[in-house]
Amino acid sequence: MTEESKTEVNFRKMRLKNVPGAREEIIKSKYVIPEEELSSRKGRWRELFHNENELYIEIGMGKGRFIYESARLHPDINYLGIEKYSSVLLRAVQKQEREELLNLFFIRMDAEYICDVFAEGEVDRIYLNFSDPWPKDRHAKRRLPSRQFLARYDKLLKKDGVLEFKTDNRELFDFAVEELSPAGWQVDVISYDLHADEGLMQGNVMTEYEEKFSSRGNPIYKYVIRR
Ligand code: SAM
């Protein structure tokens, strides 16, 4: 088996872990926005938080360590976590059910449809953390930092808003950097060893994957981009 197909098999195995009853449990939570409400909230997300604070979203938030900790540290910012799989989202929802932060809600959806859910310029900042690599070339457009996704983010992110991306996957990072200029984005900040950069580490909130891979000694790559 080639290295690429081994990665693909491991990646699929990671995706397929299913927790029975997860979907039913997250539907019951007041912190998960019901699917049928999503499009009617377009352009009105701040009503959910009962304030006019900035709105930050994390796409592919997994079990939610990053977004939960960010929301705890910054009560004056509204956070929405987006995750495709109920089984993963469940952990974040259970924690929020216990802690009840006022500035954190979740959406279970495929980010491909994100433009149906947010109005133009409605989002102040986007986070992508350790996005799935989709190593096969024919799946490039499914990668969250691809030019197809950047075109979607371009619509919902406010004019001077920024997108932050972290990963330990060098191939994915190089791909992400190459996608920027054709999609009309530019680099504000870039690091090929985030954890060695004292300045950038100030205020850095670790994700589950970041903890796991940096503890193995893997460098973490990060960019901050704008149009
Ligand atoms: N961000 C977390 C972290 O850094 O620990 C989780 C990283 S995990 C490798 C990537 C997550 O992105 C998975 O939970 C996956 O289900 C989610 N994801 C991938 N593609 C997505 C999409 N199109 N829409 C929403 N979530 C997606």
Side-chain angles (χ1 to χ4, degrees), residues 14-15 22 44 56 62 67 69 79 83 91 97 102-104 128 131 143-144 159 172 177 209 213 216 219-221 225:
M14 270 172 8
R15 304 175 69 79
R44 301 173 37 223
Y56 290 8
I67 198 159
E69 194 53 21
Y79 288 89
E83 170 54 52
R91 288 279 194 87
E97 286 283 346
L102 298 172
N103 58 333
L104 176 62
L128 305 177
S131 306
R143 298 172 192 153
L144 292 179
K159 209 164 151 249
L172 181 65
V177 170
Y209 274 64
F213 292 116
R216 290 181 193 167
I220 304 300
Y221 312 110
I225 57 167

Side-chain angles (χ1 to χ4, degrees), residues 23-188:
R23 194 166 184 138
E24 293 67 25
E25 193 169 336
I26 66 161
I27 284 172
K28 279 192 287 176
S29 172
K30 64 179 177 202
Y31 296 105
V32 181
I33 310 308
E35 213 173 314
E36 60 278 10
E37 269 182 34
L38 292 177
S39 56
S40 63
R41 288 202 175 268
K42 185 173 177 171
R44 301 173 37 223
W45 280 103
R46 279 168 182 81
E47 290 174 18
L48 177 70
F49 298 92
H50 306 289
N51 62 46
E52 287 302 312
N53 294 344
E54 291 201 326
L55 176 62
Y56 290 8
I57 66 173
E58 185 189 5
I59 303 176
M61 47 157 285
K63 294 176 187 164
R65 173 175 169 173
F66 173 86
I67 198 159
Y68 175 82
E69 194 53 21
S70 301
R72 195 183 64 75
L73 289 169
H74 305 286
D76 51 347
I77 293 171
N78 299 326
Y79 288 89
L80 272 174
I82 298 172
E83 170 54 52
K84 191 159 141 181
Y85 293 108
S86 308
S87 300
V88 195
L89 180 55
L90 181 63
R91 288 279 194 87
V93 172
Q94 287 169 332
K95 188 168 171 84
Q96 172 64 340
E97 286 283 346
R98 290 192 300 273
E99 308 294 334
E100 302 199 297
L101 299 182
L102 298 172
N103 58 333
L104 176 62
F105 287 88
F106 305 107
I107 299 175
R108 194 200 60 77
M109 69 175 285
D110 187 325
E112 194 180 333
Y113 306 105
I114 202 158
C115 294
D116 299 339
V117 170
F118 294 100
E120 240 176 76
E122 191 171 15
V123 173
D124 294 280
R125 185 171 299 207
I126 299 174
Y127 292 105
L128 305 177
N129 289 316
F130 296 79
S131 306
D132 292 333
W134 291 106
K136 286 188 179 167
D137 284 347
R138 66 186 159 87
H139 291 147
K141 64 176 189 294
R142 296 186 191 171
R143 298 172 192 153
L144 292 179
S146 66
R147 67 188 71 186
Q148 289 81 0
F149 273 99
L150 288 173
R152 296 178 181 116
Y153 309 147
D154 183 36
K155 290 193 181 128
L156 53 104
L157 189 64
K158 77 170 177 188
K159 209 164 151 249
D160 56 348
V162 297
L163 181 152
E164 300 195 12
F165 172 49
K166 291 195 279 192
T167 182
D168 71 312
N169 185 314
R170 182 62 191 259
E171 288 77 29
L172 181 65
F173 193 65
D174 288 343
F175 165 84
V177 170
E178 279 163 24
E179 291 292 87
L180 296 178
S181 145
W185 292 67
Q186 58 193 44
V187 172
D188 239 10

